[in-house]
Amino acid sequence: MITHELMLLYRVMPKPELVTTLKRTAETLFSRGGIIRKLENLGTRDIPFKISAHGVVYKQASYYVFTFNVPPIAIKDLLDEFERDVDIIRRKIFKQNSPEFKECTLHEELQPAPYRKSVQELIAQARKLDKPKFNYNTGLDYYPFQK
Amino acid sequence: MFTRLNNAKLAITVEAFTTNYTNLQVYRWGKKPRWLPTAKTKMFRVAPRPQIPTEDYEELKRLHNNYRTQIKSLTGYFTEKYSTENIQQFDIEQHEKSIKDDFLKCTAINDEWNRQIKIQREERVAKELEESVNLAKQRLEERQQRQLLKLQAADVEVRRVIEDSKDFITPDKLDAAIEYALNNPVDYNFALDLDGNVYKGRNNDSVKFEIKQ
């Protein structure tokens, strides 16, 4: 069962109208055999760029996220339906990511460059490209004769 | 190869039969062409008999006699060995018998080999069979293990979804959910500083939260 997230940008509306629109969107999801897991309001604010939708240019939008399950075949229909909804400026359906656990490596990343493991690896990689140098095999770290 | 010839100064022949022309030497005559007769001044000259010292003569004669004796004995030996009288009469029965004996001998050796290889093969086949049976058992076990893990994972997933389903927004809960969402905007933005403090919110004006190290 794939959980999807539906990201919606509604045009800025008064509250009763917004409630009706949200209800309509939810009804659409239900009508396609969907289950709504969560509804979130990410606030109303300026959009990063102006968007023209249904012949109107918008500069502000209300952000809403529906988390839902739906048969995969219905995704295309849903997008089609939302595209035709005049109150929706943008719509996008994502697969929900499960949170990934990662070890904290900040203390290592804060070290000076030569102590960082990634930098050491890079240096080792670069050393491989060095030209071979003649080795005198004298056991000395200097050349004992006059050059 | 240098050869002293009758009326020629020097004859040089081809050293070896090869296409390497560095080895090719020209066969040269002296100044006198081959077709000219002996010179008039030398026509009736009688060459003096070679004078060989007595000791040399005796020595040469001894060597010659030795040589002749050895060659004679060798000739006699080979004549005796290869003379047709001494060759055994070809006996067809004897020949066939020897062939048969040889065949029997070879067959015996071959049977012995086959017997040994049969033992080895049976050992090998038994070992391979046992190995493959063990492998199949192992694979079956692994498969069952995998299946079990899969079932457990599925069970966990189903339980989780059943647990989650209490919070699902059903059509009758929809109004309340919409009302709640409208009144409670969520903001996932946050910032971190070098001390590991988290500043939640888009505008960075919220209280900071200590991260538990």
Side-chain angles (χ1 to χ4, degrees), chain A residues 6-13 18 21 42-43 45-51 53-54 58-66 82 85-92 94:
Chain A
L6 168 64
M7 181 77 215
L8 287 168
L9 266 67
Y10 289 112
R11 71 184 176 86
V12 181
M13 291 174 276
L18 186 59
T21 314
L42 297 188
R45 57 174 190 267
D46 293 347
I47 44 186
F49 42 85
K50 57 183 182 180
I51 298 172
H54 307 109
Y58 296 100
K59 294 183 178 178
Q60 276 194 325
S62 303
Y63 290 68
Y64 282 85
V65 177
F66 282 89
F82 296 140
D85 192 329
V86 287
D87 293 330
I88 294 172
I89 303 174
R90 287 234 162 168
R91 87 293 320 157
K92 200 93 182 175
F94 304 97

Side-chain angles (χ1 to χ4, degrees), chain B residues 84-122:
Chain B
T84 46
E85 290 167 10
N86 294 342
I87 288 178
Q88 279 187 337
Q89 203 60 41
F90 181 72
D91 186 355
I92 185 81
E93 281 179 16
Q94 185 65 29
H95 182 68
E96 278 176 356
K97 191 170 174 287
S98 73
I99 288 178
K100 210 173 178 182
D101 286 350
D102 186 53
F103 177 75
L104 287 175
K105 210 169 148 190
C106 290
T107 317
I109 292 171
N110 193 31
D111 288 347
E112 174 64 15
W113 285 353
N114 283 345
R115 198 176 56 74
Q116 286 174 2
I117 286 170
K118 192 187 173 194
I119 294 169
Q120 288 174 6
R121 183 177 60 238
E122 279 165 358

Side-chain angles (χ1 to χ4, degrees), chain B residues 195-209:
Chain B
D195 301 327
N197 296 319
V198 184
Y199 299 90
K200 286 197 174 175
R202 166 171 283 267
N203 299 323
N204 205 7
D205 51 4
S206 60
V207 252
K208 67 178 181 185
F209 294 81

Side-chain angles (χ1 to χ4, degrees), chain B residues 31-171:
Chain B
K31 283 176 185 172
K32 196 172 154 187
R34 296 184 76 176
W35 54 88
L36 289 181
T38 318
K40 280 178 182 172
T41 51
K42 301 288 185 284
M43 189 84 83
F44 304 106
R45 188 177 67 94
V46 178
R49 296 280 300 170
Q51 295 295 316
I52 301 170
T54 330
E55 290 109 27
D56 286 7
Y57 179 77
E58 290 298 328
E59 180 60 14
L60 284 172
K61 191 170 183 185
R62 188 185 66 77
L63 290 173
H64 183 72
N65 285 347
N66 278 356
Y67 171 76
R68 290 302 318 157
T69 315
Q70 286 162 2
I71 287 295
K72 210 158 126 191
S73 69
L74 276 175
T75 316
Y77 171 73
F78 285 122
T79 313
E80 183 69 18
K81 190 177 178 188
Y82 294 109
S83 68
T84 46
E85 290 167 10
N86 294 342
I87 288 178
Q88 279 187 337
Q89 203 60 41
F90 181 72
D91 186 355
I92 185 81
E93 281 179 16
Q94 185 65 29
H95 182 68
E96 278 176 356
K97 191 170 174 287
S98 73
I99 288 178
K100 210 173 178 182
D101 286 350
D102 186 53
F103 177 75
L104 287 175
K105 210 169 148 190
C106 290
T107 317
I109 292 171
N110 193 31
D111 288 347
E112 174 64 15
W113 285 353
N114 283 345
R115 198 176 56 74
Q116 286 174 2
I117 286 170
K118 192 187 173 194
I119 294 169
Q120 288 174 6
R121 183 177 60 238
E122 279 165 358
E123 274 177 18
R124 178 174 55 79
V125 167
K127 202 176 154 199
E128 281 175 0
L129 183 67
E130 197 191 334
E131 275 174 9
S132 61
V133 165
N134 283 343
L135 185 68
K137 274 182 189 166
Q138 193 189 334
R139 286 181 63 188
L140 182 68
E141 213 168 283
E142 282 171 6
R143 191 195 182 87
Q144 283 170 345
Q145 190 67 24
R146 273 205 306 277
Q147 205 67 26
L148 191 67
L149 283 176
K150 227 173 173 177
L151 273 177
Q152 283 172 353
D155 194 46
V156 168
E157 174 74 13
V158 166
R159 280 175 199 285
R160 197 172 59 78
V161 172
I162 289 171
E163 189 66 27
D164 287 353
S165 67
K166 289 169 191 164
D167 300 332
F168 284 177
I169 299 168
T170 47

